[in-house]
Amino acid sequence: MDYTDLVSGLKNSFKKGTTKPLAWRIGQLKAMDRMLAENEDRIIDALKSDLNKPAQDTIMAEIEFIRNDIISLLRNIKKWSASQPVTKSLVTLLDKPYIHPEPFGVVLVIGAWNFPLQLSLAPLAPAIAAGNCGVIKPSEISPATAELLGELVPKYMDNECIKVVEGGVPETTELLKQPFDYIFYTGSTVVGKIIASAASKNLTPCTLELGGKSPAVIDDSCRNLETAAKRLLWGKTMNAGQICVAPDYVLCTKETEAKLIPVIKKLLNDWFTGNVEESACYCRIVTTRHAERLNGMLQSTAGNIVIGGKIDVDNKFLEPTVITGVTLQDSTMQEEIFGPILPIINIKDIDEAIDLINSRDKPLAMYVFSENQKSIRKLRDNTSSGGFTVNETILQLSVEELPFGGVGSSGMGAYHGKHGFDTFTHYKPVLEKNLGWLGEKLAEFRYPPYNPRNINFIKALIKNREMPSFAFLNYLLSLAVGTGLGILYTKYATV
Ligand code: NAD
């Protein structure tokens, strides 16, 4: 396969300027919204087929998640796409400095399988809002959703500017040879390095939305263990734990662990009515290969499986499983779990938790359950992670103003809301001047031959000082100061 024609076609559409007018961007966002609204049932079916995803989760975390993003983009697109004036200095008082947002060009969005609709369309929407052409490459591991996207996107959206490429590693490898203007990748850290290396060959900027082991610290001060356990478990059992920001492992004291285990046991029993395998509220592991990986982890753990542990690889089922007595050497601590296994490591205090977290790669998310502000601040200020969430899991993603992304090996760059628009925008600095007499006279000192008599004048002129931010005041000041400096300069500083 060769994607040269596909990408050069998109580049031509971009060059023609098709995607720049606000009308086109708004039209495409509305078309995407219509596509989601009119095909809700088919999307639910596709995700059921790929992951046994319950309709409620598909509506909440895939369809409505993207539709809400679109609402926000439509609400703000005019404001975000407009040029933004910046504060002037004395040197630029007579000029017009501003920031002009411009699209990069043709962007490639590579999605992952766990939220296969969201992870392809949620980056595409801000890319379109920012005025780019785009190619999405949904994950081949969730084939029903990939196929549906391949059918629906060309039907609803502008084919000259937006394409879907279906396929796996060979197709992505070929696509990556093309000179994209931006690459947005979601997936594992290992593949993230391959993407970054391919992008560097064309000096293409990229965002890497990766994963990692996100810890959940449960402090002894956390008295409302039932609510804490509900929120922790929701993050670990939704999508059968196949969420990049799922709490990967728990850090708590032996005393807190002893109180937590019976609470978790009861909750799981209540939520899945005593039979997880038959529950319509529980996902499957995406493929038997992925279930096999989790089985390996489970079979070789040196910890104690105190809850769950039942696995049926052929049917891609793994019961929510809690393991105690876990050490850093355990099989569950060697890589991101990305499944419904929850190891608990005992620590003696917050300081030990901080040391342990800091001895590992920077996680994508970090969770703290605590009723002690001192402990919360200590953890926040002495660790580094993509995000930091207190007494909750996953919901940080629903706060549009919060950038979502990793740090270090959990990724680079961020999106959601305005941050998504920013990701797909080059903020071009523009300085507009005129060729009039006054401006030229004021700035003449910069030309050789230099004159030592000008030094004090230059120091005063270029000094970094606070300027009034009102446009009218700026205008008055520019007239007054410009004229004053012009007179002074002509009188004392002529070469
Ligand atoms: P995956 O297998 O679906 O791969 C992701 C994408 O990379 C797919 O489109 C796939 O075709 C492509 N790909 C895979 N191997 C490749 C290669 N060698 N060369 C080029 N392209 C390749 O998903 P995955 O990697 O199994 O996803 C799970 C990981 O993704 C976890 O680590 C998880 O934490 C992370 N993740 C992160 C986010 C986030 O937003 N930060 C979201 C979801 C998943």
Side-chain angles (χ1 to χ4, degrees):
M1 72 234 66
D2 183 359
Y3 297 106
T4 310
D5 288 347
L6 181 133
V7 175
S8 62
L10 292 172
K11 291 230 168 197
N12 276 337
S13 301
F14 183 74
K15 268 189 216 141
K16 272 193 277 170
T18 313
T19 59
K20 287 189 180 167
L22 275 187
W24 181 89
R25 308 185 198 189
I26 291 168
Q28 290 306 300
L29 290 171
K30 287 186 173 165
M32 188 191 283
D33 187 60
R34 220 170 35 251
M35 174 177 91
L36 295 169
E38 290 174 5
N39 294 281
E40 189 177 285
D41 290 345
R42 294 190 66 196
I43 294 168
I44 290 171
D45 289 347
L47 280 143
K48 181 103 190 138
S49 155
D50 284 334
L51 285 143
N52 195 40
K53 203 177 271 216
Q56 177 177 318
D57 289 353
T58 297
I59 289 170
M60 185 181 70
E62 306 259 13
I63 301 173
E64 290 305 311
F65 185 94
I66 306 162
R67 294 191 71 194
N68 278 327
D69 246 8
I70 293 174
I71 291 173
S72 158
L73 290 167
L74 288 172
R75 188 184 293 140
N76 294 297
I77 190 167
K78 211 169 155 197
K79 184 171 71 193
W80 293 345
S81 316
S83 296
Q84 303 143 19
V86 297
T87 311
K88 299 180 190 189
S89 68
L90 269 187
V91 179
T92 55
L93 259 185
L94 302 175
D95 311 327
K96 209 171 142 196
Y98 58 93
I99 294 170
H100 182 69
E102 68 175 20
F104 280 103
V106 180
V107 311
L108 171 64
V109 173
I110 304 172
W113 52 262
N114 57 334
F115 288 88
L117 189 82
Q118 191 212 112
L119 298 175
S120 292
L121 296 185
L124 181 67
I128 289 171
N132 296 281
C133 289
V135 178
I136 53 174
K137 211 300 290 171
S139 175
E140 71 283 11
I141 312 284
S142 42
T145 311
E147 201 180 309
L148 189 62
L149 280 167
E151 179 199 322
L152 295 180
V153 170
K155 224 160 97 182
Y156 281 83
M157 306 189 71
D158 182 349
N159 245 307
E160 302 284 303
C161 303
I162 296 157
K163 301 274 186 197
V164 179
V165 170
E166 287 179 65
V169 177
E171 287 78 7
T172 317
T173 307
E174 280 307 308
L175 264 178
L176 285 168
K177 291 180 185 159
Q178 296 299 321
F180 284 100
D181 298 295
Y182 202 95
I183 296 175
F184 189 103
Y185 171 77
T186 303
S188 66
T189 301
V190 173
V191 177
K193 289 179 187 171
I194 297 174
I195 305 291
S197 149
S200 72
K201 295 211 169 74
N202 291 313
L203 280 185
T204 303
C206 56
T207 292
L208 301 176
E209 292 283 345
L210 311 177
K213 288 182 85 64
S214 300
V217 179
I218 306 182
D219 182 23
D220 282 350
S221 72
C222 181
R223 287 180 299 276
N224 191 348
L225 266 187
E226 190 183 336
T227 300
K230 271 188 193 159
R231 295 178 185 178
L232 175 82
L233 272 190
W234 180 64
K236 192 65 179 181
T237 57
M238 199 205 332
N239 227 31
Q242 300 163 111
I243 308 182
C244 54
V245 284
D248 189 275
Y249 61 98
V250 166
L251 296 173
C252 67
T253 62
K254 199 108 195 94
E255 295 71 43
T256 293
E257 178 190 285
K259 291 185 227 159
L260 188 66
I261 298 294
V263 182
I264 293 182
K265 229 179 226 166
K266 179 169 181 327
L267 278 175
L268 288 173
N269 202 51
D270 292 350
W271 285 1
F272 302 111
T273 54
N275 189 348
V276 194
E277 214 164 349
E278 296 300 319
S279 171
C281 306
Y282 192 64
C283 273
R284 290 295 175 269
I285 303 305
V286 70
T287 64
T288 48
R289 177 169 64 84
H290 290 78
E292 201 53 80
R293 180 184 68 85
L294 290 165
N295 192 26
M297 212 177 256
L298 212 54
Q299 298 313 321
S300 45
T301 178
N304 314 306
I305 298 177
V306 292
I307 297 175
K310 185 171 176 193
I311 185 157
D312 176 349
V313 171
D314 291 340
N315 287 311
K316 301 179 281 182
F317 170 77
L318 171 53
E319 195 179 9
T321 298
V322 179
I323 308 178
T324 60
V326 171
T327 64
L328 289 182
Q329 289 68 45
D330 194 65
S331 57
T332 54
M333 291 304 292
Q334 305 316 305
E335 58 181 70
E336 181 182 355
I337 294 172
F338 219 55
I341 302 173
L342 187 66
I344 301 181
I345 297 183
N346 292 137
I347 39 134
K348 47 175 206 308
D349 52 26
I350 290 292
D351 290 319
E352 194 181 345
I354 290 171
D355 287 345
L356 192 150
I357 292 162
N358 287 340
S359 71
R360 308 180 65 89
D361 285 341
K362 292 180 181 179
L364 183 58
M366 174 153 163
Y367 300 111
V368 184
F369 290 90
S370 172
E371 293 178 53
N372 179 335
Q373 279 303 317
K374 257 194 175 160
S375 304
I376 294 169
R377 298 282 173 265
K378 197 169 185 185
L379 277 156
R380 185 195 66 185
D381 297 345
N382 292 289
T383 59
S384 177
S385 51
F388 186 84
T389 306
V390 180
N391 293 323
E392 186 53 88
T393 64
I394 317 287
L395 273 190
Q396 67 273 19
L397 269 64
S398 68
V399 186
E400 188 185 292
E401 284 80 10
L402 294 180
F404 172 58
V407 58
S409 62
S410 56
M412 57 174 87
Y415 70 135
H416 289 181
K418 170 81 161 60
H419 307 284
F421 186 91
D422 291 347
T423 288
F424 293 106
T425 297
H426 166 57
Y427 284 99
K428 183 158 69 182
V430 180
L431 176 65
E432 280 185 25
K433 290 175 77 86
N434 64 39
L435 292 168
W437 166 85
L438 185 58
E440 184 53 18
K441 195 74 196 156
L442 278 173
E444 254 180 2
F445 64 82
R446 64 187 155 156
Y447 305 131
Y450 296 146
N451 183 341
R453 280 175 58 212
N454 288 350
I455 293 293
N456 284 340
F457 172 77
I458 292 170
K459 278 185 183 169
L461 189 70
I462 64 173
K463 192 171 183 67
N464 191 342
R465 46 169 74 80
E466 209 168 338
M467 302 291 283
S469 54
F470 297 111
F472 184 63
L473 274 182
N474 239 316
Y475 173 71
L476 282 184
L477 200 73
S478 66
L479 277 183
V481 176
T483 315
L485 283 174
I487 294 165
L488 280 176
Y489 182 71
T490 317
K491 200 160 171 197
Y492 297 111
T494 37
V495 180

